Amino acid sequence: MMPRYITQDYRSRIRPTWCKGCSYYGVLAALTEVFAEKQIDPHRLNVVSGIGCSSRMTLCLNTFGLHTLHGRALPVAIGSRLVNPDLTVVVAAGDGDFFSIGIGHFVHAARKNFDMTVICMDNRMYAMTKNQASPTSIVGYRGSLTPWGKMSVPLNVLEFAIACDATFVSRTFAGSQQHMQETISRGLDHRGFSFIEVIAPCGTFDRTATLASLSPRMVDINREHRHDPADKKAALAAAVQALDYDASDDAPVPIGVFWENSVPTFEERIAEIKKAHKKKASFASLLKNYSL
Amino acid sequence: MSAGDILMKASAHEGFDATVVKSFPSNIRGGYSQSLVTIAEKPAVSPIGDCAILFALSSNAFLLDTLHLTPRTLILVETTAHADGQGRDRFKQLSAAGQTIFSVPVLQLARETAGSSAIRSTVALGILGELLGMGGDQLRAAVAWRFREKGTGLIELNRIALDAGILWARQHIDKKYWLTVPRRRARTDREDRFMLEGNQAVALGAIAAGCTFYTSYPITPATGVGETLSRLMTAHGGVAYQAEDEIAALGAAIGASFAGVKTMTATSGPGLSLMQEFLGYASMVELPVVVVDVQRAGPSTGMPTKHSQDDLFAAIFGGHGEGQRIVIAPATVEECFSATVTAFNCAEHYQCPVIVLSDSTLGMMKRVIAKSALESPVIINRDIFTGSDDTPTPWLRYRLTDSGTNPLTIPGVSSVTYRATGIEHNEDSTPATTPFERCAQMEKRFRKLRRIEMEMDNPVLWDLEPADTVPLDACLCSWGLTASITREAIASLRGEGFRIAAVYPRLLFPVCTEAFNRWADLCTLQIVVEANFTGQFCALLRMSTRARPHPLTVSRGEPFTPPEIAAGIRSIINKEAAA
């Protein structure tokens, strides 16, 4: 049987604003491939993003979507999930968006375990505003607002996501279409808060890492290290090491699913409460609580 | 605090109109708290007024509570509260001035009869009830109601304390000091009368309007809206969600609105500040959302439990850029219900954020309300497009229509998708920033509200003098709770022979320019009464209408009283006449 939707059905007419050769084109392609593979109705998909180069993703898709405020994609996505649990919700934004201005929302969305797939396109800088240090930039990174070098250590987003009790924590690489598709597909299948860090260097401002230079260094921890994502201790240990790839130019870059477990989602907990109140109370009966 | 509720309930059962206004500090317990109970034969216009009886249970109450005192006020004061120091001096001073004042050993009575000083306010309640000629039965029933969840032991203790108070009043206060309240038959229509706080009326208004998603972050004095909806929403099949902060609360409300349901969040001033960026977003993407601001005295932490109307400018002009918003203000508890319904209707119809400006006093005051005030309001739902075979491609979500609005498509419901973006966009929601496209969309968005004054039911309420042959002394305007207090002040000024016309806007923004230009033409002396320091609505009228009103303002954490407003108006009229 012919599939109902092909990859192209998920693309809007809008051309991305990304620079030529940007690693984000790959993420966009992977997303549409996975949507088509799963044959999700475009009108049952809600792709929510913040502000920044990566957040333009929403506009490039032909699904429903909200291109929101800087750092605020998660609360908006949560609102749509809470009132319509049948929607597939994907949140896409950058490292600055999720982990600088929006980090407060990340903690709570992960902890509450909303069923959504959260994709952080991590280029370790603010690119749209033309090169400033982000929480994931390395120490000493020279951004336009840190001309003498960034003074804080980078945030380990994988370790952080596990600490926030995200129930699916993974990392993939924008240079590997297949790995991205596999990871996004698993993220969408996971029932709960699926966090996916995509290593996606900025071809314009990043003078050290490129897709080509990083590519040979990728090591899938599940395949090559037989990492078991159900083992939390091992997951944390792997996450702690995941930041070390800046140590040298040939240090391995671990990717794969670091941590996955299954606990009820926030939406499921709400459904439980709703089940207990099956009969919808009329307005008149609610009023009785206040009668004289 | 509970004594006020009990007295109100008992009075309401006797068939009176009853209101209780509360004022307390921002502590969990302790500090000086006050309940102002108004009992009236006909529905009272103002919930604030002169005090017939002041019962001071502490020296703080005795020394500080002077706002509502008149030389005719009967003062009852706890014996230990005037035993020494300033209390003793004040007692002497008042007695010497001829004030009727009684020393009452409330604490002692509570300890001797019920064995606990904590129950002193119930003793005071017994005394008050007796002075009002209420009879013990209604009070006993109201006490049992108030402590129904605390067990029979506590109810019995309170009953003993109540009886001790009643007995003391009979033995110690001469009948000539009792208030002659007309006897009434206890009403039997309890099922059709409701005791509601302003915040609860807002919550019920939201449910009546069809709201199924409520989200908020705790903040005084707005939490009552959420406390009510957290329970009612579940019973009603909706969802109430506690967000991690006010930004997330409004964000979630907007996300839920995009997903097709009516949504609301409630907050107070500091929360409104945090919501400003998302308010701009809702204006830009044209999604309906209702934000209730139960105002408190700012700026910063200010006085978190205290009355103020100082968020008007923040509600109208807060945030960056120019986005279309609607601001509505209820003046009574009944209007907290109807204004919330109106807010939802406006949000759905005009597809933009609507802010309801309540305040701490209005939000937390309790009032007896007839069922008719809560029955079958008109409900407007958004125009939803589900898709059809000849759906235009691309879908023009922001088409340049005459009305400025277009149908919405809903995820999971409509086959036609679109992406809402906070970036300036063209008709099909593609980012577009040429001067031509920008102008077209700005004009389209503002076109939506161009005729709101004509389209909305009763955007202002007029109170005109019957005959227009004699020139007016002044024309008045007031909004929110202050409008209710102003109405009573105007009634007394008219009694003195002043000729005054008044207008009370419910729609504060966009400004009802037609109504206020007409208002300005009624009389050259115009006055706006409001509870903020700078006279914000007054300034707004000067900015956008022919009116050149004088401000009459107060910013002290407690509402105006009717005599203060009357005095203020009198003074402005006299000053103008002399000039």
Side-chain angles (χ1 to χ4, degrees), chain B residues 41 66 79 88 99 103 180 226 281 289 292 330 387 406 414 471 494 523 527 545:
Chain B
E41 275 192 85
T66 54
T79 308
R88 186 175 50 199
Q99 190 98 27
S103 176
T180 46
Y281 181 73
V289 66
V292 179
N406 290 286
S414 315
R494 283 177 178 159
C523 177
I527 303 169
T545 70

Side-chain angles (χ1 to χ4, degrees), chain B residues 226-241:
Chain B
E227 283 169 348
T228 309
L229 281 174
S230 299
R231 291 183 167 280
L232 299 193
M233 247 333 156
T234 314
H236 201 56
V239 176
Y241 173 66

